Amino acid sequence: MGLRHTLDFLLYDWLRAGELTSRSRFADHSRETFDAVFDTCERIAREKYAPFNRTLDIEEPRFDGEKVILPKASKEAYDAFAASGMLSAAQDYEIGGMQLPYTVESAAHTFFAMASVSMGSGMLTVGNANLLMVHGTELQKSVFALNEFSGRWSGTMCLSEPQAGSSLSDIVTRAVPDGGDFASDPLGARYRLKGNKMWISAGEHELTENIIHLVLAKIPGPDGKLIPGTRGISLFIVPKQLVDTQGQLTGVRNDVALAGLNHKLGWRGTTNTLLNFGEGKFPVQGQAGAIGYLVGRPHEGLSCMFHMMNEARIGVGMAATMLGMAGYHASLDYAKNRPQGRLVGPSGKDASQPQVRIIEHADIKRMLLTQKSYCEGALALELYCARLVDEQHTGEPGAANEARMLLEVLTPIAKSWPSEWCLEANSLAIQIHGGYGYTRDFPVEQYWRDQRLNMIHEGTHGIQAADLLGRKVVMAGGEGLRMLALRINGTIERAIQRPEFAEYANALGGALQQVGAATKAAWATGDAREALANAVPYMQAFGHMVIAWMWLDVALSIPAGAAQPPAHVGRLAATRFFYRYELPKIGAWLNVVSSRDATCADMPEEAF
Amino acid sequence: MGLRHTLDFLLYDWLRAGELTSRSRFADHSRETFDAVFDTCERIAREKYAPFNRTLDIEEPRFDGEKVILPKASKEAYDAFAASGMLSAAQDYEIGGMQLPYTVESAAHTFFAMASVSMGSGMLTVGNANLLMVHGTELQKSVFALNEFSGRWSGTMCLSEPQAGSSLSDIVTRAVPDGGDFASDPLGARYRLKGNKMWISAGEHELTENIIHLVLAKIPGPDGKLIPGTRGISLFIVPKQLVDTQGQLTGVRNDVALAGLNHKLGWRGTTNTLLNFGEGKFPVQGQAGAIGYLVGRPHEGLSCMFHMMNEARIGVGMAATMLGMAGYHASLDYAKNRPQGRLVGPSGKDASQPQVRIIEHADIKRMLLTQKSYCEGALALELYCARLVDEQHTGEPGAANEARMLLEVLTPIAKSWPSEWCLEANSLAIQIHGGYGYTRDFPVEQYWRDQRLNMIHEGTHGIQAADLLGRKVVMAGGEGLRMLALRINGTIERAIQRPEFAEYANALGGALQQVGAATKAAWATGDAREALANAVPYMQAFGHMVIAWMWLDVALSIPAGAAQPPAHVGRLAATRFFYRYELPKIGAWLNVVSSRDATCADMPEEAF
């Protein structure tokens, strides 16, 4: 089925996104306005993104000493995207937004991610501006956020440093007050920043007239020393070009310089940079140090940043999902057209049979159905999470709180599961292409390379797992996990009503019980070292349980009946596949969690 | 542990390779001569291969219209390798060989594969020449094979065509007698070949003065039509430059032309080509058609080719293993040196703790131990198979026959298991490097890309699985499987004597029983369509059982005792890891095999 068909079903038939229009914020909307957004995004993705995905891979960003050079297609895609208004799709009408539900915005982004994930669709710019809308002053909003939503400027998130990636508490970028009047700058308390920021996506380019960096840095204490740990971290707006209170460029370049481009395995359409802040390459008023305006209060930078984390992580999960989907569709197309081999007969190979297309071979079908169950299952989860974001923002207080708690538990899965399993899907897409899949004449090898980033950025797999087992399932006395179990049990109860789903309902109930028991067993001694030693296998099992739940819940929105249209036959087969081939894997993962197996943790370094 | 240390242990302590010197063929050898070979290979790999592995990736082969251009390092490495005598390491003294056991030759090749897998170590040339030593005439051996063993010429295997990869019965390259005297050419019955051959590794280059192609083609029947199926296939020697009976170049170029280079995801040091045979670009005596000399009898080409298949597939498995090992060692080195984060305390994250190197984190240890268990387990299997090859060739008739049967069953695993799981190991090596692993500044992303080829070439994963379940475990009434079970039971019986291994012995016994039962259940209806629909999950389970067996058998060669040196501690931990974290996975795979689950096979095309 095409992506649009799948989205329509998941959004309208399953998630009942149409009902969101009964809420006051979305009252002007209707399925028609949602569909018009999808039409526009689908068209831009088809015309401006898809044809250039390989171009981005081949014409990697390069620095000529003065500026970063990107393929022409990047600028054209960026302009078309910005012109569509999607950068402010979720914002209020009064600042030029569309007041679209996040669910619809997320679904609209799938077209871009599938067409060319590294061309990007402004996720960082939107995240940057959203953060300012929550934590910025009125002037910071109007000067910075609004110019980002309009597409005039773009934004970055500058967290990592060469020596501090997963461990942000070790950042050493310093911010010191800039002059005696530093506190009275209308754009925010003014500091001078010095330090290096690593892995900064879109950190330097010519797509927009300005780049607004949001930078984590430490304000030294009275003794001049940096405060250890994350408490010392504050957040600053550091524009590449300095601007006035009207949002006009002053013509003064800020002291932010490109130190180097990272040459990546994939995802090459997005420039990734090492930036030097305040090294003196572009001194401001004769002085080294990048000008930065404090956002929020000092020492609360990390919590400002983490405010946006759930949506950023759902965004990564959605990108991973759509890369998987791109490979699935490419390999499905190939399998339908490539003649090779003959069908196995009852007695084995049968050379007298006519040649067939490879989609007729059972093992090719297995690889396609695996991809379908992974990618469409992941898409269901991402949309489900997006719907929870809407509930959190526009639901009744009780429902909003439940949605918030569910999101806390589900976000590590929404981020990690597609990153891991849609990578496997991309590998299967290569496999279906045989030798051709290993060449650059087909797109699947690029999807696989692009995909490999997703287990690394926005919190590695290990970080997600520690977050899930170390915080999310135990927070508030396990309330988040309990709420999730209630929802899963709700699905099970509805499924038990339908005999054809009884097998799945039982299996899902068993899985939920196993995961619950493993959670308790992991924490039985109360020692985090024992509990977390196998956090990744725990997350793998948890994720498989969640996707199994998604599939059963999706299947329940298919009306009962013996004769189903092909799309429903496919969904029911993907559900069956997931329950028969995938869900049983959780036993092996949970074994080591439940026994708090210390084989890995106890391994002495010299024995490797 | 370094590779050499691991090899020494596996070869001498575990496989007792030293005992091979009691056989007449190897009587002149000793551990000292074996070690001298390893010293030489280790040195050449270190000096001529490793420093240039990235160069090969960046300076991909290109065609200037006349010749294929490779980095200078390729020629230097090739020359050093050829000069070492390793191309004829296994051959008789009388033709300049070293009469080395295959076990030792395989072990020697590990150094090259780990240093730069795509630089190559003459596997195709040796396979080509070996084939001629078995199936060629005396003159074909002396003219072609001997000049390949000396390194003067190189060899290829030309099987696939653009429309016929996995399905060789559909090749359409034709071979017709060349003139009335075709049968009396001293180099072999002379034919003219026309057709295209795809995926030909080292099909065109300037590393050697001549390239000897071994080409599968069909001799048309009396009606001029090609015989359908594999029966019609014959084998031909097609030299790039025509030669005389003395092995001198005649100065006449044969009608073999490069049609194009394949641009690959990885493994770029090895040229991969589409070759046109007989299109008339280099007419011989004014006539289009490549001159080819028949090898063996007409219509028996495929069986000649398959004669070398086991060793070729073990070679791929070994390459996959060593790519995995390269990533393991690189990520181990990185983990020992990269400071990041703090140890988890009993109550979770503890910011007051000092920063640690990442090797101290439990999840990093998990990823390292996973790699170790995969790569060293796979290395044990490859060496075990190599030892079986020696047994087949030099053992007593009964033992030789047993070795042959075991190899039939184990070869699909030796080829497929490292291809799949050392790819996962390479992915974990990237993960340990975090963002740096995703850049081309570190070697691990290249290992991962190079590795992805191994599930495709020399018979895809699906082909291996169909071979295992469709042929190997049922051949001779299941005799091969029975012999394997006897060996595994032998290991179990020894393990039961040692209390510390009882857990593993029981688990391995259970796994063997499960695999046996699944084999029976798969074939319970006798219908190959039902049996083979889940051949890949079957192979995955079978492979995990085999690697578990390898680890237990390896562990048994460690003397009992409480205080072990670090290398043994590491091996025992890897064994425990494999039994606790990996072996339990087989249940999920075997479920669908045993139930002959038809979810995939029954999926209608239009439902995808």
Side-chain angles (χ1 to χ4, degrees), chain A residues 339-345 349-358 360-361, chain B residues 167 169-170 228:
Chain A
Q340 191 81 176
R342 283 154 189 78
L343 289 182
V344 169
K349 266 197 192 173
D350 187 344
S352 70
Q353 292 290 313
Q355 203 179 36
V356 297
R357 295 162 306 128
I358 63 172
E360 301 184 51
H361 297 303
Chain B
S167 178
S169 59
D170 293 308

PDB file of all heavy atoms in Angstrom, chain A residues 339-345 349-358 360-361, chain B residues 167 169-170 228:
ATOM      1  N   PRO A 339      12.705 -10.911 -12.262  1.00  0.00           N
ATOM      2  CA  PRO A 339      12.525 -12.354 -12.445  1.00  0.00           C
ATOM      3  C   PRO A 339      13.775 -13.083 -11.983  1.00  0.00           C
ATOM      4  O   PRO A 339      14.895 -12.644 -12.251  1.00  0.00           O
ATOM      5  CB  PRO A 339      12.350 -12.508 -13.961  1.00  0.00           C
ATOM      6  CG  PRO A 339      12.722 -11.189 -14.570  1.00  0.00           C
ATOM      7  CD  PRO A 339      13.136 -10.239 -13.492  1.00  0.00           C
ATOM      8  N   GLN A 340      13.608 -14.155 -11.258  1.00  0.00           N
ATOM      9  CA  GLN A 340      14.753 -14.964 -10.823  1.00  0.00           C
ATOM     10  C   GLN A 340      14.253 -16.242 -10.176  1.00  0.00           C
ATOM     11  O   GLN A 340      13.428 -16.217  -9.257  1.00  0.00           O
ATOM     12  CB  GLN A 340      15.633 -14.195  -9.823  1.00  0.00           C
ATOM     13  CG  GLN A 340      16.956 -14.858  -9.523  1.00  0.00           C
ATOM     14  CD  GLN A 340      18.012 -14.579 -10.601  1.00  0.00           C
ATOM     15  OE1 GLN A 340      19.141 -14.976 -10.491  1.00  0.00           O
ATOM     16  NE2 GLN A 340      17.640 -13.875 -11.658  1.00  0.00           N
ATOM     17  N   GLY A 341      14.753 -17.360 -10.652  1.00  0.00           N
ATOM     18  CA  GLY A 341      14.455 -18.632 -10.026  1.00  0.00           C
ATOM     19  C   GLY A 341      13.059 -19.150 -10.312  1.00  0.00           C
ATOM     20  O   GLY A 341      12.275 -18.539 -11.059  1.00  0.00           O
ATOM     21  N   ARG A 342      12.784 -20.288  -9.733  1.00  0.00           N
ATOM     22  CA  ARG A 342      11.517 -20.984  -9.932  1.00  0.00           C
ATOM     23  C   ARG A 342      10.919 -21.344  -8.588  1.00  0.00           C
ATOM     24  O   ARG A 342      11.647 -21.428  -7.601  1.00  0.00           O
ATOM     25  CB  ARG A 342      11.764 -22.264 -10.743  1.00  0.00           C
ATOM     26  CG  ARG A 342      11.954 -21.957 -12.200  1.00  0.00           C
ATOM     27  CD  ARG A 342      12.762 -22.944 -12.991  1.00  0.00           C
ATOM     28  NE  ARG A 342      12.997 -22.352 -14.302  1.00  0.00           N
ATOM     29  CZ  ARG A 342      13.916 -21.419 -14.537  1.00  0.00           C
ATOM     30  NH1 ARG A 342      14.718 -21.012 -13.583  1.00  0.00           N
ATOM     31  NH2 ARG A 342      14.034 -20.877 -15.736  1.00  0.00           N
ATOM     32  N   LEU A 343       9.635 -21.554  -8.581  1.00  0.00           N
ATOM     33  CA  LEU A 343       9.000 -21.910  -7.321  1.00  0.00           C
ATOM     34  C   LEU A 343       9.458 -23.288  -6.867  1.00  0.00           C
ATOM     35  O   LEU A 343       9.675 -24.177  -7.682  1.00  0.00           O
ATOM     36  CB  LEU A 343       7.478 -21.903  -7.478  1.00  0.00           C
ATOM     37  CG  LEU A 343       6.856 -20.521  -7.646  1.00  0.00           C
ATOM     38  CD1 LEU A 343       5.336 -20.644  -7.731  1.00  0.00           C
ATOM     39  CD2 LEU A 343       7.254 -19.603  -6.500  1.00  0.00           C
ATOM     40  N   VAL A 344       9.599 -23.412  -5.563  1.00  0.00           N
ATOM     41  CA  VAL A 344       9.846 -24.726  -4.983  1.00  0.00           C
ATOM     42  C   VAL A 344       8.569 -25.544  -5.172  1.00  0.00           C
ATOM     43  O   VAL A 344       7.467 -25.024  -4.967  1.00  0.00           O
ATOM     44  CB  VAL A 344      10.163 -24.568  -3.479  1.00  0.00           C
ATOM     45  CG1 VAL A 344      10.170 -25.920  -2.773  1.00  0.00           C
ATOM     46  CG2 VAL A 344      11.505 -23.870  -3.300  1.00  0.00           C
ATOM     47  N   GLY A 345       8.723 -26.786  -5.589  1.00  0.00           N
ATOM     48  CA  GLY A 345       7.561 -27.668  -5.684  1.00  0.00           C
ATOM     49  C   GLY A 345       7.497 -28.543  -4.444  1.00  0.00           C
ATOM     50  O   GLY A 345       8.358 -28.437  -3.559  1.00  0.00           O
ATOM     51  N   LYS A 349      13.224 -28.086  -5.533  1.00  0.00           N
ATOM     52  CA  LYS A 349      13.453 -27.297  -6.733  1.00  0.00           C
ATOM     53  C   LYS A 349      12.843 -27.981  -7.948  1.00  0.00           C
ATOM     54  O   LYS A 349      12.979 -29.195  -8.104  1.00  0.00           O
ATOM     55  CB  LYS A 349      14.960 -27.148  -6.975  1.00  0.00           C
ATOM     56  CG  LYS A 349      15.554 -25.894  -6.405  1.00  0.00           C
ATOM     57  CD  LYS A 349      16.916 -25.653  -7.057  1.00  0.00           C
ATOM     58  CE  LYS A 349      17.694 -24.583  -6.311  1.00  0.00           C
ATOM     59  NZ  LYS A 349      19.066 -24.468  -6.820  1.00  0.00           N
ATOM     60  N   ASP A 350      12.236 -27.218  -8.788  1.00  0.00           N
ATOM     61  CA  ASP A 350      11.589 -27.822  -9.945  1.00  0.00           C
ATOM     62  C   ASP A 350      11.959 -27.014 -11.187  1.00  0.00           C
ATOM     63  O   ASP A 350      11.350 -25.997 -11.503  1.00  0.00           O
ATOM     64  CB  ASP A 350      10.072 -27.840  -9.733  1.00  0.00           C
ATOM     65  CG  ASP A 350       9.354 -28.610 -10.823  1.00  0.00           C
ATOM     66  OD1 ASP A 350       9.981 -28.869 -11.885  1.00  0.00           O
ATOM     67  OD2 ASP A 350       8.175 -28.936 -10.632  1.00  0.00           O
ATOM     68  N   ALA A 351      12.985 -27.525 -11.900  1.00  0.00           N
ATOM     69  CA  ALA A 351      13.545 -26.778 -13.021  1.00  0.00           C
ATOM     70  C   ALA A 351      12.573 -26.684 -14.204  1.00  0.00           C
ATOM     71  O   ALA A 351      12.765 -25.864 -15.098  1.00  0.00           O
ATOM     72  CB  ALA A 351      14.852 -27.426 -13.478  1.00  0.00           C
ATOM     73  N   SER A 352      11.531 -27.520 -14.187  1.00  0.00           N
ATOM     74  CA  SER A 352      10.601 -27.484 -15.324  1.00  0.00           C
ATOM     75  C   SER A 352       9.602 -26.332 -15.202  1.00  0.00           C
ATOM     76  O   SER A 352       8.890 -26.020 -16.145  1.00  0.00           O
ATOM     77  CB  SER A 352       9.833 -28.811 -15.401  1.00  0.00           C
ATOM     78  OG  SER A 352       8.923 -28.901 -14.309  1.00  0.00           O
ATOM     79  N   GLN A 353       9.545 -25.734 -14.017  1.00  0.00           N
ATOM     80  CA  GLN A 353       8.622 -24.620 -13.811  1.00  0.00           C
ATOM     81  C   GLN A 353       9.105 -23.375 -14.554  1.00  0.00           C
ATOM     82  O   GLN A 353      10.295 -23.207 -14.779  1.00  0.00           O
ATOM     83  CB  GLN A 353       8.547 -24.293 -12.314  1.00  0.00           C
ATOM     84  CG  GLN A 353       7.873 -25.369 -11.482  1.00  0.00           C
ATOM     85  CD  GLN A 353       6.388 -25.447 -11.770  1.00  0.00           C
ATOM     86  OE1 GLN A 353       5.703 -24.436 -11.805  1.00  0.00           O
ATOM     87  NE2 GLN A 353       5.893 -26.656 -12.028  1.00  0.00           N
ATOM     88  N   PRO A 354       8.170 -22.503 -14.899  1.00  0.00           N
ATOM     89  CA  PRO A 354       8.595 -21.242 -15.517  1.00  0.00           C
ATOM     90  C   PRO A 354       9.279 -20.342 -14.485  1.00  0.00           C
ATOM     91  O   PRO A 354       9.060 -20.485 -13.280  1.00  0.00           O
ATOM     92  CB  PRO A 354       7.280 -20.623 -15.990  1.00  0.00           C
ATOM     93  CG  PRO A 354       6.225 -21.232 -15.138  1.00  0.00           C
ATOM     94  CD  PRO A 354       6.711 -22.609 -14.776  1.00  0.00           C
ATOM     95  N   GLN A 355      10.098 -19.422 -14.993  1.00  0.00           N
ATOM     96  CA  GLN A 355      10.737 -18.458 -14.117  1.00  0.00           C
ATOM     97  C   GLN A 355       9.668 -17.574 -13.467  1.00  0.00           C
ATOM     98  O   GLN A 355       8.636 -17.301 -14.062  1.00  0.00           O
ATOM     99  CB  GLN A 355      11.682 -17.589 -14.953  1.00  0.00           C
ATOM    100  CG  GLN A 355      12.780 -16.957 -14.140  1.00  0.00           C
ATOM    101  CD  GLN A 355      13.711 -16.128 -15.015  1.00  0.00           C
ATOM    102  OE1 GLN A 355      13.303 -15.476 -15.973  1.00  0.00           O
ATOM    103  NE2 GLN A 355      14.991 -16.143 -14.673  1.00  0.00           N
ATOM    104  N   VAL A 356       9.913 -17.156 -12.250  1.00  0.00           N
ATOM    105  CA  VAL A 356       8.950 -16.288 -11.560  1.00  0.00           C
ATOM    106  C   VAL A 356       9.636 -15.003 -11.116  1.00  0.00           C
ATOM    107  O   VAL A 356      10.863 -14.911 -11.101  1.00  0.00           O
ATOM    108  CB  VAL A 356       8.352 -16.978 -10.313  1.00  0.00           C
ATOM    109  CG1 VAL A 356       7.565 -18.220 -10.703  1.00  0.00           C
ATOM    110  CG2 VAL A 356       9.447 -17.319  -9.302  1.00  0.00           C
ATOM    111  N   ARG A 357       8.824 -14.015 -10.746  1.00  0.00           N
ATOM    112  CA  ARG A 357       9.370 -12.819 -10.109  1.00  0.00           C
ATOM    113  C   ARG A 357       9.678 -13.173  -8.650  1.00  0.00           C
ATOM    114  O   ARG A 357       8.990 -14.001  -8.052  1.00  0.00           O
ATOM    115  CB  ARG A 357       8.351 -11.680 -10.189  1.00  0.00           C
ATOM    116  CG  ARG A 357       8.074 -11.220 -11.629  1.00  0.00           C
ATOM    117  CD  ARG A 357       6.783 -10.425 -11.698  1.00  0.00           C
ATOM    118  NE  ARG A 357       5.717 -11.220 -11.116  1.00  0.00           N
ATOM    119  CZ  ARG A 357       4.895 -10.775 -10.158  1.00  0.00           C
ATOM    120  NH1 ARG A 357       4.977  -9.541  -9.710  1.00  0.00           N
ATOM    121  NH2 ARG A 357       3.958 -11.566  -9.649  1.00  0.00           N
ATOM    122  N   ILE A 358      10.684 -12.521  -8.109  1.00  0.00           N
ATOM    123  CA  ILE A 358      11.152 -12.977  -6.792  1.00  0.00           C
ATOM    124  C   ILE A 358      10.111 -12.790  -5.692  1.00  0.00           C
ATOM    125  O   ILE A 358      10.180 -13.453  -4.666  1.00  0.00           O
ATOM    126  CB  ILE A 358      12.505 -12.343  -6.384  1.00  0.00           C
ATOM    127  CG1 ILE A 358      12.427 -10.829  -6.239  1.00  0.00           C
ATOM    128  CG2 ILE A 358      13.604 -12.751  -7.357  1.00  0.00           C
ATOM    129  CD1 ILE A 358      13.703 -10.211  -5.657  1.00  0.00           C
ATOM    130  N   GLU A 360       7.432 -13.957  -5.563  1.00  0.00           N
ATOM    131  CA  GLU A 360       6.698 -15.210  -5.404  1.00  0.00           C
ATOM    132  C   GLU A 360       7.415 -16.226  -4.508  1.00  0.00           C
ATOM    133  O   GLU A 360       6.831 -17.233  -4.121  1.00  0.00           O
ATOM    134  CB  GLU A 360       6.393 -15.809  -6.780  1.00  0.00           C
ATOM    135  CG  GLU A 360       5.568 -14.843  -7.642  1.00  0.00           C
ATOM    136  CD  GLU A 360       5.150 -15.436  -8.975  1.00  0.00           C
ATOM    137  OE1 GLU A 360       4.592 -16.550  -8.970  1.00  0.00           O
ATOM    138  OE2 GLU A 360       5.387 -14.782 -10.010  1.00  0.00           O
ATOM    139  N   HIS A 361       8.695 -15.947  -4.167  1.00  0.00           N
ATOM    140  CA  HIS A 361       9.434 -16.865  -3.290  1.00  0.00           C
ATOM    141  C   HIS A 361       9.085 -16.610  -1.823  1.00  0.00           C
ATOM    142  O   HIS A 361       9.027 -15.467  -1.380  1.00  0.00           O
ATOM    143  CB  HIS A 361      10.940 -16.679  -3.468  1.00  0.00           C
ATOM    144  CG  HIS A 361      11.435 -17.000  -4.845  1.00  0.00           C
ATOM    145  ND1 HIS A 361      11.233 -18.225  -5.443  1.00  0.00           N
ATOM    146  CD2 HIS A 361      12.118 -16.258  -5.755  1.00  0.00           C
ATOM    147  CE1 HIS A 361      11.781 -18.227  -6.642  1.00  0.00           C
ATOM    148  NE2 HIS A 361      12.321 -17.033  -6.867  1.00  0.00           N
TER     149      HIS A 361
ATOM    150  N   SER B 167      20.079 -17.837  -9.600  1.00  0.00           N
ATOM    151  CA  SER B 167      19.537 -18.898 -10.447  1.00  0.00           C
ATOM    152  C   SER B 167      20.430 -19.124 -11.649  1.00  0.00           C
ATOM    153  O   SER B 167      20.187 -18.626 -12.747  1.00  0.00           O
ATOM    154  CB  SER B 167      18.130 -18.503 -10.898  1.00  0.00           C
ATOM    155  OG  SER B 167      17.602 -19.484 -11.755  1.00  0.00           O
ATOM    156  N   SER B 169      20.825 -21.589 -13.526  1.00  0.00           N
ATOM    157  CA  SER B 169      20.289 -22.351 -14.657  1.00  0.00           C
ATOM    158  C   SER B 169      19.829 -21.439 -15.791  1.00  0.00           C
ATOM    159  O   SER B 169      19.644 -21.884 -16.904  1.00  0.00           O
ATOM    160  CB  SER B 169      19.131 -23.239 -14.193  1.00  0.00           C
ATOM    161  OG  SER B 169      18.105 -22.453 -13.636  1.00  0.00           O
ATOM    162  N   ASP B 170      19.662 -20.160 -15.481  1.00  0.00           N
ATOM    163  CA  ASP B 170      19.177 -19.230 -16.510  1.00  0.00           C
ATOM    164  C   ASP B 170      20.282 -18.468 -17.227  1.00  0.00           C
ATOM    165  O   ASP B 170      20.000 -17.478 -17.915  1.00  0.00           O
ATOM    166  CB  ASP B 170      18.184 -18.256 -15.881  1.00  0.00           C
ATOM    167  CG  ASP B 170      16.913 -18.965 -15.450  1.00  0.00           C
ATOM    168  OD1 ASP B 170      16.338 -19.672 -16.299  1.00  0.00           O
ATOM    169  OD2 ASP B 170      16.519 -18.846 -14.286  1.00  0.00           O
ATOM    170  N   PRO B 228      17.844 -26.120 -21.309  1.00  0.00           N
ATOM    171  CA  PRO B 228      17.367 -25.470 -20.073  1.00  0.00           C
ATOM    172  C   PRO B 228      17.979 -26.114 -18.843  1.00  0.00           C
ATOM    173  O   PRO B 228      18.415 -27.269 -18.888  1.00  0.00           O
ATOM    174  CB  PRO B 228      15.846 -25.709 -20.101  1.00  0.00           C
ATOM    175  CG  PRO B 228      15.530 -26.377 -21.384  1.00  0.00           C
ATOM    176  CD  PRO B 228      16.801 -26.925 -21.950  1.00  0.00           C
TER     177      PRO B 228
END
